[in-house]
């Protein structure tokens, strides 16, 4: 079970911000009857014990997602720590938390610091395109609140990463997004493309155009590889380098499922979905207490999602970047292939453009690495 990973999402879709660019906003439709929810202690104990018991490695990673950092939530995570210590069996427990940072205060920061949490803060940008700063449905800009939260994390010397959703607006100014994230102290940047298909066909107006992601990534890469490689981490770029070195990609979106990499999302009303990107009834494994990590891997639903990876379609067979891309995430396969079926990745044009663009850089970085130099030494050869 080396590559089985679970994400515990604590009331995420019930966040009271309802940011207009949120990737999870439309998932409230799945649980219209829920206004508040907290995982019961029995389910929590089972989840933590099974995760620790079924992992063969010494390091056990728990990934949490929670946007409402209230006092009740703090008590919940204190209970998490108690249970992890109870069931640890001498293993090293690592906790990460993805949050918008709203309501973050000193008490939370002291808890994070004491328990060595790795924090990921959702940050969009300060781009005022068409007066469209990141806003909640209440029309309040979230930028000042996010910056306040980051200042608190820095005050308590807490390691953090930033997660930025790239949409149809902020993708138009990639360097402004990049320099803004640098200005607020981000040294580890995650970029997530906004892509929301519509039931009637097409995509939501806020979604990226098929080629826009490639342009965004190429623009930032040009600056990053010349100025910031080695000091700022951008996983998308670093994962590409790993692939160029012949190592399987550590991101499931670009990994063939035949290397046994799976991600599961435990959510809201104790439901369990095969993947956070497949949160709907079709891919539901609910309830989670009926599943161990092993049975989840062997479940019929899991096999359905795995089967949506290879074999690749005809167009992929002749693609120069197929070994890097592997046709991306199955959820994104809505573009029509030559045979008229929706089986090509929506971002295919972007992936081809970006991976082709970085190929000479990656080859040079690999050559440096093979000669026992660091890949970041590439900067001295670029003008």
């Amino acid at each position: 079970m080396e590559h089985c990973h679970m994400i515990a999402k604590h009331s995420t879709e019930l966040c009271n911000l309802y940011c207009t660019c949120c990737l999870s906003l439309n998932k409230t439709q799945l649980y219209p009857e829920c206004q508040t929810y907290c995982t019961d202690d029995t389910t929590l104990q089972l989840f933590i014990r099974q995760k620790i018991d079924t992992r063969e490695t010494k390091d056990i990673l728990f990934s949490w997602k929670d946007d409402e950092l209230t006092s009740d939530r703090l008590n919940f995570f204190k209970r998490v720590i108690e249970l992890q210590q109870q069931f640890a069996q001498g293993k090293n427990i690592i906790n990460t938390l993805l949050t918008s940072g709203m309501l973050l205060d000193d008490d939370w920061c002291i808890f994070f610091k004491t328990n060595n949490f790795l924090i990921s803060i959702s940050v969009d940008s300060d781009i005022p395109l068409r007066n469209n700063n990141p806003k909640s449905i209440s029309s309040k800009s979230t930028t000042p609140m996010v910056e306040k939260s980051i200042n608190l994390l820095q005050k308590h010397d807490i390691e953090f990463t930033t997660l930025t959703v790239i949409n149809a607006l902020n993708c138009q100014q990639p360097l402004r997004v990049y320099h803004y994230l640098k200005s607020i102290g981000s040294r580890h940047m995650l970029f997530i493309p906004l892509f929301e298909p519509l039931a009637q066909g097409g995509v939501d107006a806020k979604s990226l155009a098929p080629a826009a992601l490639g342009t965004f990534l190429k623009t930032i890469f040009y600056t990053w590889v010349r100025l910031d490689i080695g000091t700022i981490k951008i996983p998308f770029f670093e994962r590409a380098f790993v692939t160029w070195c012949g190592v399987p990609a550590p991101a499931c979106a670009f990994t063939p499922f035949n290397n046994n990499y799976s991600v599961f999302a435990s959510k809201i009303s104790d439901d369990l979905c095969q993947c956070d990107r497949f949160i709907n009834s079709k891919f539901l494994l609910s309830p989670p207490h009926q599943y161990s990590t092993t049975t989840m891997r062997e479940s019929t639903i899991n096999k359905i999602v795995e089967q949506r990876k290879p074999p690749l379609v005809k167009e992929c067979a002749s693609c120069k970047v197929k070994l890097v891309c592997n046709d991306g995430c199955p959820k994104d396969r809505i573009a029509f292939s030559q045979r008229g079926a929706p089986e090509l990745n929506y971002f295919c044009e972007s992936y081809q453009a970006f991976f082709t663009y970085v190929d000479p850089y990656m080859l040079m970085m690999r050559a440096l690495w093979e000669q026992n130099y660091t890949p970041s030494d590439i900067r001295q050869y670029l003008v």
Side-chain angles (χ1 to χ4, degrees):
M1 303 312 301
E2 186 70 20
H3 295 92
C4 183
H5 182 50
M6 294 186 70
I7 302 172
K9 302 182 69 179
H10 188 233
S11 304
T12 303
E13 275 64 60
L14 304 178
C15 173
N16 60 7
L17 282 178
Y18 292 96
C19 294
T20 54
C21 58
C22 180
L23 289 170
S24 300
L25 185 60
N26 65 343
K27 296 181 177 65
T28 56
Q29 302 170 14
L30 299 176
Y31 302 92
E33 74 283 1
C34 296
Q35 296 301 317
T36 59
Y37 183 79
C38 184
T39 303
D40 66 86
D41 196 69
T42 300
T43 301
L44 183 63
Q45 288 189 48
L46 187 61
F47 167 71
I48 291 175
R49 188 177 71 250
Q50 284 191 350
K51 183 171 176 67
I52 294 174
D53 288 347
T54 56
R55 293 289 289 179
E56 299 175 359
T57 57
K58 181 175 177 59
D59 294 332
I60 310 297
L61 175 64
F62 285 85
S63 298
W64 307 93
K65 187 173 181 182
D66 200 326
D67 285 317
E68 296 187 356
L69 302 183
T70 63
S71 57
D72 288 342
R73 300 290 204 276
L74 182 55
N75 291 331
F76 170 83
F77 281 105
K78 287 179 178 179
R79 179 59 175 159
V80 165
I81 297 299
E82 291 176 0
L83 292 173
Q84 289 175 339
Q85 292 174 345
Q86 177 181 340
F87 300 124
Q89 304 174 36
K91 296 180 179 180
N92 180 38
I93 307 298
I94 302 170
N95 287 289
T96 70
L97 175 67
L98 171 61
T99 180
S100 62
M102 302 302 108
L103 306 182
L104 182 68
D105 57 20
D106 287 312
D107 289 339
W108 272 100
C109 288
I110 292 172
F111 171 80
F112 291 149
K113 184 66 176 178
T114 301
N115 295 286
N116 299 313
F117 267 65
L118 304 177
I119 305 301
S120 183
I121 294 286
S122 298
V123 182
D124 289 290
S125 70
D126 66 338
I127 296 178
L129 291 178
R130 302 172 193 161
N131 195 29
N132 199 79
N133 296 68
K135 294 178 181 179
S136 63
I137 287 180
S138 64
S139 297
K140 294 181 179 179
S141 173
T142 63
T143 300
M145 294 183 283
V146 170
E147 292 181 356
K148 179 180 178 182
S149 297
I150 289 177
N151 288 336
L152 266 176
L153 293 174
Q154 293 170 327
K155 169 187 171 183
H156 289 270
D157 193 28
I158 296 172
E159 182 179 350
F160 70 94
T161 67
T162 54
L163 185 150
T164 303
V165 176
I166 306 305
N167 56 50
L169 290 175
N170 62 13
C171 75
Q172 299 176 34
Q173 296 192 39
L175 288 182
R176 178 160 181 173
V177 172
Y178 181 62
H179 290 307
Y180 172 69
L181 293 174
K182 286 178 61 176
S183 73
I184 61 175
S186 177
R187 296 299 177 265
H188 191 142
M189 305 175 187
L190 298 167
F191 296 115
I192 307 296
L194 181 60
F195 169 65
E196 290 293 341
L198 300 176
Q200 63 272 27
V203 298
D204 182 89
K206 296 186 293 294
S207 297
L208 289 176
L213 177 62
T215 302
F216 179 89
L217 292 173
K218 287 193 300 180
T219 304
I220 290 181
F221 182 88
Y222 180 90
T223 296
W224 174 80
V225 77
R226 286 166 171 77
L227 299 178
D228 299 318
I229 183 175
T231 59
I232 291 182
K233 294 182 178 295
I234 299 182
F236 196 99
F237 301 161
E238 296 179 348
R239 290 166 183 165
F241 172 68
V242 166
T243 305
W244 254 266
C245 292
V247 179
C252 61
F254 299 122
T255 303
F257 271 92
N258 58 12
N259 71 352
N260 295 319
Y261 188 105
S262 286
V263 180
F264 298 95
S266 179
K267 297 184 44 54
I268 302 178
S269 55
D270 288 337
D271 284 346
L272 183 69
C273 289
Q274 200 279 341
C275 174
D276 187 38
R277 301 198 73 191
F278 288 92
I279 297 175
N280 57 55
S281 58
K282 182 178 179 181
F283 297 99
L284 194 64
L285 300 178
S286 174
H289 58 267
Q290 296 179 1
Y291 291 86
S292 67
T293 306
T294 301
T295 56
M296 283 187 289
R297 280 281 304 147
E298 297 174 349
S299 70
T300 300
I301 295 298
N302 188 44
K303 298 303 181 184
I304 290 174
V305 177
E306 289 187 5
Q307 289 167 5
R308 295 184 67 178
K309 289 293 280 187
L312 303 179
V313 296
K314 181 179 180 181
E315 289 88 331
C316 294
S318 59
C319 179
K320 295 180 180 179
V321 301
K322 65 178 180 179
L323 296 179
V324 186
C325 170
N326 285 300
D327 206 10
C329 178
K331 179 180 179 292
D332 298 341
R333 296 181 182 177
I334 67 167
F336 287 90
S337 63
Q338 292 178 2
R339 64 179 184 175
E343 53 191 356
L344 284 177
N345 197 288
Y346 176 81
F347 291 113
C348 180
E349 185 177 351
S350 284
Y351 293 147
Q352 289 190 38
F354 175 74
F355 291 129
T356 299
Y357 172 77
V358 301
D359 179 63
Y361 296 97
M362 295 297 170
L363 291 175
M364 185 181 298
M365 290 161 60
R366 187 181 70 183
L368 289 167
W369 174 67
E370 290 173 344
Q371 296 297 319
N372 295 320
Y373 294 96
T374 62
S376 60
D377 286 336
I378 190 177
R379 286 182 297 183
Q380 61 185 300
Y381 300 103
L382 302 176
V383 293

